[in-house]
Amino acid sequence: MKKKKWKMKSKFITAFTITLALVMLTGLFVMFSYLWIVADAEPVSSNIGSTDEMATDRDAVWEPVQENDKYPELPEGEEDTAGNNNYEKDAEEADSVTIAFAGDILFDPDYAMMATMLQRGGDITNGITPELLAEMQSVDIMMVNNEFPYSDRGEPIPEKAFTFRAKPAYVSYLEEMGVDIVSLANNHAYDYGEEALLDTLQTLQNAQIPYVGAGVNIEEASKPVCFDINDMKIAFISATQIERLDNPDTKGATTTSPGVFRCLNGEKLLQTVKEAKEESDFVIVYVHWGTENEEETDWLQEKQAPELVEAGADLIIGDHPHILQRIELIQGVPVIYSLGNFWFNSRPIDTGMVKVTLFDGKLQSFQFIPCLQSNCRTTLLTGQEKARVLDEMRRMSVGVQIDDDGYVTLPDVILPEKNS
C-alpha cells in the first residue's frame, strides 16, 4: 500500500515538473518573440527569406562613425562631400523644374508606421502606395522633413516624452521614395544626443542625400543647399523656431558644436535668406514652426512669414504642427504653414504634398496634392476624398483660390495646361 502511494506521489511530482518546465519554456518563447517582433521590430512576413535579405543589404551600407571623429573616413574611391552644398541635377523637361514637398516622416521601428511596414514585408509600397510613390519619384527635386536621427549610438534625451531613432540602413528608403533633400531642422534630430546627430549627417552623406537645417556647427547648419538645374540656381534653407524654452532639449548648432539651425530669434535666418537671394534665382525656406495639433497659425508664424518674404524668400513650406494648416499669399509669395504628417504615425489624418513648377527662375504653378495617412499607409486621394480635403484647404485658406486639381491661383501667372 505504501509503495502504491509513493508511485502515485512520484507520478504527480513528475507531471508537475514537466508542466512547470513547459510553462517556463512558453514564457521564454513569448518574451523572445516580443523582443524580436516589437522591440527590435524586424519584418514579420510569410516570406521570411526575402525580408531577411533586404535587412542584410540595408545593414551592409552602413559604416559606424569612429569615436572622436566629426566625420569618419569614407570607403576608398568615394568623394567626401562635407561642406559641398552645391549640386548639379538634370531635369525631366528642358526649360522647367518641378519640386515637391512633403511633411514629417518617421523610420523608427519602435513606432507604428515603420514597425507595421516591416511586419508587412518591409517594402516601401506597404507604407506609401505605388500611385503616391510615382508622384514623388516623377519630380525633379523631392524634399521631406526627416524627423529623427539615423544611428545605433547615443542615449535618449532624459525626460523627453517621445524620442526617435532609426537604423542607419533605413536611409535607403529615402531613395526609394525619390527623396533628393531632407530637412533636419526639427525637434527630434537631437533625440539621442550629439553622437546620433553626427551619425545622421554621415549616413546622409554616405547615401549622397543633401540635408539642410543641421550640421557639425552653425556654419553648416545654416548654409543653404543649392541645386543648379536647367540654368537655374535654386536655394533651400531650413530652420526651426519651435525651440522656445530657455533650455531646449534639441541643441542649437554653435560655432564649435553640432546642432540644428534655430530661428526663434530670426535675425540669422533672415540674413541667410538675403544672402541666398543675392546668389540664387529662387529661394525656398522650409521652416519648422507652429503649435502642435492646432489648425490655427500662431503669432510667431504670422510674424516671421512676412519677414522671410521681405528678406527674399520665393516660397515658404512649413511643418511641425502634425496637421494641415492654411495656404496664404504674401506679396504674391505662397506660404503653406504646415504640411502636417506625411508618413509619421498610425492615426488617420489628412495630409498632402505641394508641387511647384519653376520656369526661368520664376514660380509658374503651385499645386496642393491631397493625401491621407491611415492604417499605417499614406495614400494619394482621388474622387470625393480628394474633393473633401481640397474643400478643407479652401475653408482654412480664406481669400486663396484653389481649383479642383489643387492648383492655387497665383498673381500674373498662367497655369500650365492640364491633361484631360
Side-chain angles (χ1 to χ4, degrees), residues 30 32 40 55 57 61 63 82 88 112 122 127 177 203 215 227 232 241 243 281-282 307 359 377 396:
V30 170
F32 283 114
D40 287 340
D57 290 344
V61 304
E63 299 218 359
E88 291 186 1
M177 293 163 65
T203 298
F227 286 92
M232 288 179 257
Q241 66 163 225
E243 305 305 335
D281 298 300
F282 197 85
E307 294 174 346
F359 178 81
R377 272 194 181 92
M396 289 189 286

Side-chain angles (χ1 to χ4, degrees), residues 235-239 269 273 283-287 308 313 315-318:
F236 291 78
I237 300 167
S238 188
L269 174 59
V273 172
V283 177
I284 298 164
V285 181
Y286 192 111
V287 59
L308 290 169
L315 176 65
I316 300 173
I317 306 292

Side-chain angles (χ1 to χ4, degrees), residues 18-28:
I18 292 171
T19 302
L20 182 61
L22 288 172
V23 169
M24 291 177 67
L25 287 171
T26 302
L28 288 170

Side-chain angles (χ1 to χ4, degrees), residues 6-27:
W6 169 249
K7 284 183 179 179
M8 291 177 63
K9 187 175 181 180
S10 177
K11 288 180 180 178
F12 174 77
I13 291 172
T14 301
F16 177 79
T17 302
I18 292 171
T19 302
L20 182 61
L22 288 172
V23 169
M24 291 177 67
L25 287 171
T26 302

